[in-house]
Amino acid sequence: MNTPHQPTLIPGLPRILHGGDYNPEQWLATPGIYADDRRLRRLSGCNVFSVGIFAWSHLEPEEGRFDFSWLDRVMDDLAADGCRAILATPSAARPPWLGKKYPETAQVTRAGVREPYQGRHNFCWSSPIYREKVREIVTRLAERYAHHPALGLWHVSNELAGTYGNGECFCPLCLARWRDWLRDKYKTIEALNEAWWSGFWSHRFNDWDEINPADPTLDATALDWIRFVNWQIQDWYQFEAGILRPITPHIPITTNFMGPHPYIDYAALAQWVDVVADDQYPMLYHGKPRLDDSALCTAFKHDLQRCYKPNQPFMLMESCPETPQWGRIMPLKHEGLHRAEAFQAIGHGAEGVCYFQWRKGRGGLEKFHGAVVDHAGHENTRTFRMIRELSADFEKVAAAIGTRRQGQVALLYDHDSRLAIGLSNGIPNGSSRYLETAQDHYRSYWRRGVAVDVFDSRRDFSSYRIVIAPMLFLLHPGVADRLKAYVHDGGTLVATYYTGVVDPTNRCLLGGLPGGGLMELFGLWHEETDQLESEEARRIIAEPGQDGLLPRQATAIRFAGIVHPSGAEVLARYATGPELTSGQPAITRFRFGQGTAWYFAAEFDRPSLDCLHGAVLARAGVEPPIIGLLPPGVSIQERSGPQGRFLFAQNFTANPCKLDLRAPQDWQPLVASGPGWLLPPYSATVWTKP
Ligand code: GAL
């Protein structure tokens, strides 16, 4: 990490950050609104406002003519109102004059076409003139507000590589950088040919300029191209942060992420930011049939992002207090669901919940996007009242600031495995299947209230009681050996079909699966994988003596592997039938050194996974904090530190639920919703004890 450790999100401000994106520049012609904003923000209890994100055409209305007067006033008034500014650099959206005079600042599409001036998030990473223009305005902003009392946090640009083409730019400058990046990585074209298996379809290259990144023939090209685009994104972030840092070394810098993105490697980008900040839109609507899945996916994402910087808090830079405008339909969001969403984030380690947006604009694509302040313009709205109450509740949980969440279970989630699966023809729903599989395994721990740390396999996992590695498809150097050492020294590892299939350039590992020496760790050889139609399921039966391992109706779905044990104990088999898997081992366990390596040869349905992971926990001696399983959609988290323990619970379902804790003694309610351990529908509760 090159960045200082952040004990609180904003140095010296021990409060849960609560506020939102604020665009006063859009209201300069209506001073009454500005005055109202001040009144309403005091009333709301909000304490941070993100300003300037898309304000370039107000900050520099014409090339070289700057106007900071309106922002001076906003910053002064924020400080006077006891609030802090999350001040943005405006690079995400170019003003029209800039697009017109410097068309080369726009990205070039895959088809080789330069984008016209439009939208946002579509600037070229390599354009020297764009860098010059950004440097100038960012320098002015930083110098002007360096010592302003309102300045709390820098917000670099907005959702880097956001709405447009995943940040890909195919202009000549970006392609030249791509070739430099390749040269730097491979040194010789022969080494690249070897790593890319370029003999396929006669793609052996003689020169770097023969490589077309848009050619899908070699999946290694596509994989490296995405890595290169990620390098561009990180390089851009470092460029902007590099302007700010020397001028304001005392102010932390961040940029807003977009969840577990299929393309952007946030684990890598996170190493450059001071604070992990995410934009979260889980579409939690009353009556939505899969509210529990939304809550699960959000929990998984929180634990992934928390682990980017495990010793400090993260924050939601954006979320929506009501409903966004971009859904197919826009059902209203129950205020209880918003509270549950907000406290879920805090329970997972966040110390800030902010919104897009403070006030609804009058025009533009987002005029109907949910906000704290509605077009009605006053405080007597359902949403405003709820936000006000939430601010008061956040003051109560400020006591939890500085406490941390720590798992005994690690789940390895590799962006590179996700990319490699997605780019390898032959695995249905590749990239999203990888994420969903990780979430399915995570879910069995989530439903037991067991904290899981989610992180990349290149990180140290040696201290965990249990390591889950679903579909660890791509093996980074050294990972197989570290997995072996972990189990050898007493660890419990759970792995699945599609483990150790390819090397870092997506070439298949030779000699049998799981590759890279892992057959020895699991005591088996995985020969083949049958893929099942969506309506197909294969029954799995526990071996005699394995009572409780599986539910009565355990089934394999989607992927059914055929393995040959060479020492591993068979715990369950496919039922006999006409299929090739008939009677074959489906779940095995191997004692390797002092530890245990479980192998799930098939994908299992959720009840089977719940049961299986219960067995894994029990045999590893890890006791969940609750008895049995929480109903899907009910979630608990604990944070602890020198100041005490804090237990958070949310009910994302329409039914009341009673928590059944193993040790319910001494917990006192801090933010109460129901009596005792009762969680009313759509609710959030917090308890504490010393
Ligand atoms: C985010 C973006 C915001 C706003 C919001 C709408 O992705 O950062 O500027 O567009 O979506 O939901």
Side-chain angles (χ1 to χ4, degrees):
M1 309 286 153
N2 71 331
T3 52
H5 168 73
Q6 285 297 127
T8 51
L9 292 165
I10 292 182
L13 188 71
R15 296 180 70 186
I16 302 285
L17 304 187
H18 196 205
D21 282 20
Y22 177 39
N23 303 304
E25 72 279 9
Q26 295 177 12
W27 298 93
L28 294 178
T30 41
I33 295 281
Y34 181 77
D36 255 3
D37 274 334
R38 289 196 68 185
R39 185 183 70 81
L40 289 169
R41 78 171 166 244
R42 286 190 222 112
L43 211 55
S44 71
C46 288
N47 50 30
V48 284
F49 290 85
S50 302
V51 286
I53 301 177
F54 299 111
W56 196 335
S57 59
H58 284 90
L59 294 170
E60 190 180 0
E62 290 166 33
E63 186 169 15
R65 182 167 73 76
F66 293 90
D67 177 10
F68 292 98
S69 57
W70 63 270
L71 188 54
D72 290 349
R73 182 168 170 217
V74 171
M75 294 289 282
D76 291 351
D77 291 341
L78 282 172
D81 294 343
C83 298
R84 299 294 180 92
I86 300 178
L87 186 54
T89 67
S91 60
R94 295 163 301 142
W97 61 257
L98 197 150
K100 182 163 115 187
K101 181 160 178 199
Y102 306 108
E104 70 272 32
T105 57
Q107 288 174 1
V108 169
T109 67
R110 203 160 258 266
V113 178
R114 179 82 64 184
E115 281 283 327
Y117 175 78
Q118 59 178 353
R120 60 176 179 175
H121 299 156
N122 53 355
F123 61 86
C124 167
W125 311 104
S126 310
S127 159
I129 187 68
Y130 197 56
R131 287 200 177 220
E132 190 185 313
K133 292 289 165 198
V134 170
R135 178 181 294 284
E136 180 164 19
I137 195 156
V138 172
T139 305
R140 282 172 187 263
L141 270 173
E143 285 175 346
R144 192 170 190 96
Y145 301 109
H147 301 291
H148 197 287
L151 181 62
L153 178 64
W154 285 112
H155 181 303
V156 165
S157 202
N158 182 66
E159 294 189 338
L160 292 168
T163 354
Y164 264 74
N166 296 324
E168 295 181 325
C169 177
F170 294 84
C171 81
L173 294 177
C174 285
L175 293 185
R177 292 182 109 198
W178 151 247
R179 286 192 289 272
D180 288 347
W181 185 88
L182 288 175
R183 255 188 232 107
D184 192 48
K185 178 167 181 181
Y186 292 106
K187 314 294 183 225
T188 67
I189 197 78
E190 293 74 30
L192 175 141
N193 278 314
E194 191 54 35
W196 284 11
W197 201 249
S198 65
F200 182 73
W201 287 359
S202 192
H203 270 53
R204 249 192 124 65
F205 303 105
N206 289 336
D207 207 340
W208 307 94
D209 62 7
E210 294 165 2
I211 300 167
N212 169 14
D215 179 352
T217 309
L218 304 178
D219 47 349
T221 316
L223 183 56
D224 268 344
W225 170 252
I226 298 174
R227 289 176 176 146
F228 164 71
V229 174
N230 271 286
W231 175 82
Q232 297 248 74
I233 295 168
Q234 290 167 48
D235 180 66
W236 181 270
Y237 178 84
Q238 290 173 75
F239 160 65
E240 290 210 41
I243 304 167
L244 298 169
R245 181 95 57 212
I247 306 172
T248 57
H250 54 297
I251 302 292
I253 310 172
T254 191
T255 188
N256 43 348
F257 293 1
M258 295 178 281
H261 201 275
Y263 207 95
I264 303 175
D265 185 355
Y266 282 126
L269 183 56
Q271 70 188 303
W272 306 110
V273 302
D274 297 331
V275 163
V276 173
D278 191 47
D279 293 352
Q280 171 172 303
Y281 296 92
M283 311 290 276
L284 294 165
Y285 303 132
H286 162 79
K288 189 179 170 198
R290 296 253 52 107
L291 271 173
D292 55 326
D293 275 355
S294 298
L296 158 75
C297 296
T298 308
F300 176 87
K301 181 208 64 148
H302 286 326
D303 283 334
L304 175 69
Q305 296 187 331
R306 172 176 59 80
C307 292
Y308 293 155
K309 292 194 186 293
N311 298 319
Q312 61 182 69
F314 66 94
M315 69 179 288
L316 301 185
M317 184 62 84
E318 292 179 25
S319 61
C320 188
E322 32 175 10
T323 211
Q325 95 296 4
W326 39 258
R328 191 179 56 80
I329 50 161
M330 304 183 300
L332 293 177
K333 183 180 185 184
H334 192 288
E335 60 269 22
L337 283 173
H338 180 70
R339 283 173 58 80
E341 179 185 349
F343 277 107
Q344 184 189 30
I346 309 285
H348 278 268
E351 292 182 0
V353 174
C354 296
Y355 305 117
F356 184 86
Q357 50 191 344
W358 164 252
R359 178 188 279 275
K360 284 180 192 169
R362 290 192 68 188
L365 287 174
E366 295 178 332
K367 66 174 185 271
F368 290 132
H369 193 291
V372 178
V373 181
D374 183 67
H375 292 135
H378 54 69
E379 63 272 35
N380 301 315
T381 62
R382 188 179 61 88
T383 301
F384 192 92
R385 276 195 293 270
M386 179 264 293
I387 295 299
R388 208 172 160 179
E389 282 165 24
L390 199 50
S391 291
D393 284 341
F394 280 171
E395 290 299 316
K396 295 183 198 153
V397 295
I401 286 177
T403 58
R404 300 282 174 258
R405 172 172 161 86
Q406 165 83 53
Q408 291 180 303
V409 177
L411 187 144
L412 305 184
Y413 177 83
D414 276 17
H415 187 68
D416 267 0
S417 273
R418 181 172 181 183
L419 290 175
I421 290 175
L423 291 167
S424 298
N425 261 348
I427 302 176
N429 303 324
S431 160
S432 58
R433 196 63 238 143
Y434 176 73
L435 172 64
E436 285 159 18
T437 302
Q439 288 166 338
D440 278 348
H441 286 263
Y442 173 91
R443 184 176 172 277
S444 301
Y445 295 83
W446 182 67
R447 291 199 56 200
R448 290 180 165 89
V450 173
V452 178
D453 288 0
V454 182
F455 56 85
D456 187 282
S457 66
R458 283 166 287 190
R459 289 256 293 268
D460 181 16
F461 44 75
S462 60
S463 62
Y464 288 86
R465 299 282 289 277
I466 299 172
V467 173
I468 325 279
M471 291 175 101
L472 191 63
F473 188 80
L474 181 149
L475 282 185
H476 284 294
V479 171
D481 286 343
R482 287 197 298 113
L483 287 170
K484 282 189 196 164
Y486 164 72
V487 179
H488 187 268
D489 294 347
T492 295
L493 173 68
V494 180
T496 70
Y497 51 94
Y498 291 128
T499 291
V501 182
V502 300
D503 73 2
T505 49
N506 224 12
R507 288 177 307 188
C508 292
L509 294 169
L510 304 180
L513 298 179
L518 291 176
M519 289 194 294
E520 186 198 342
L521 171 57
F522 296 101
L524 54 76
W525 168 40
H526 184 133
E527 186 183 1
E528 296 181 282
T529 305
D530 202 4
Q531 295 184 2
L532 317 188
E533 295 289 352
S534 54
E535 66 282 0
E536 208 180 335
R538 296 213 180 137
R539 210 137 167 245
I540 307 294
I541 298 162
E543 290 285 271
Q546 297 298 334
D547 301 338
L549 182 78
L550 288 169
R552 200 179 282 276
Q553 288 297 328
T555 53
I557 51 174
R558 270 183 284 265
F559 303 109
I562 298 174
V563 301
H564 307 283
S566 52
E569 179 191 0
V570 178
L571 305 183
R573 293 179 182 275
Y574 301 96
T576 48
E579 307 89 6
L580 286 170
T581 48
S582 170
Q584 299 286 333
I587 300 166
T588 66
R589 194 177 50 196
F590 188 51
R591 184 103 189 135
F592 183 81
Q594 300 299 306
T596 309
W598 295 71
Y599 193 81
F600 297 178
E603 178 172 340
F604 301 115
D605 63 0
R606 286 175 162 188
S608 306
L609 276 183
D610 286 345
C611 214
L612 269 170
H613 282 297
V616 171
L617 275 166
R619 288 176 206 193
V622 178
E623 199 170 66
I626 57 134
I627 297 166
L629 290 172
L630 294 163
V634 174
S635 182
I636 66 165
Q637 310 86 30
E638 187 176 327
R639 294 176 58 155
S640 57
Q643 66 269 56
R645 294 169 64 183
F646 297 85
L647 181 67
F648 295 75
Q650 306 88 40
N651 183 356
F652 289 91
T653 78
N655 305 310
C657 155
K658 193 155 174 288
L659 283 186
D660 200 1
L661 289 188
R662 262 176 224 282
Q665 308 81 4
D666 302 331
W667 288 106
Q668 299 298 324
L670 192 59
V671 175
S673 59
W677 293 101
L678 189 80
L679 306 178
Y682 305 146
S683 67
T685 311
V686 188
W687 296 267
T688 186
K689 72 173 167 185

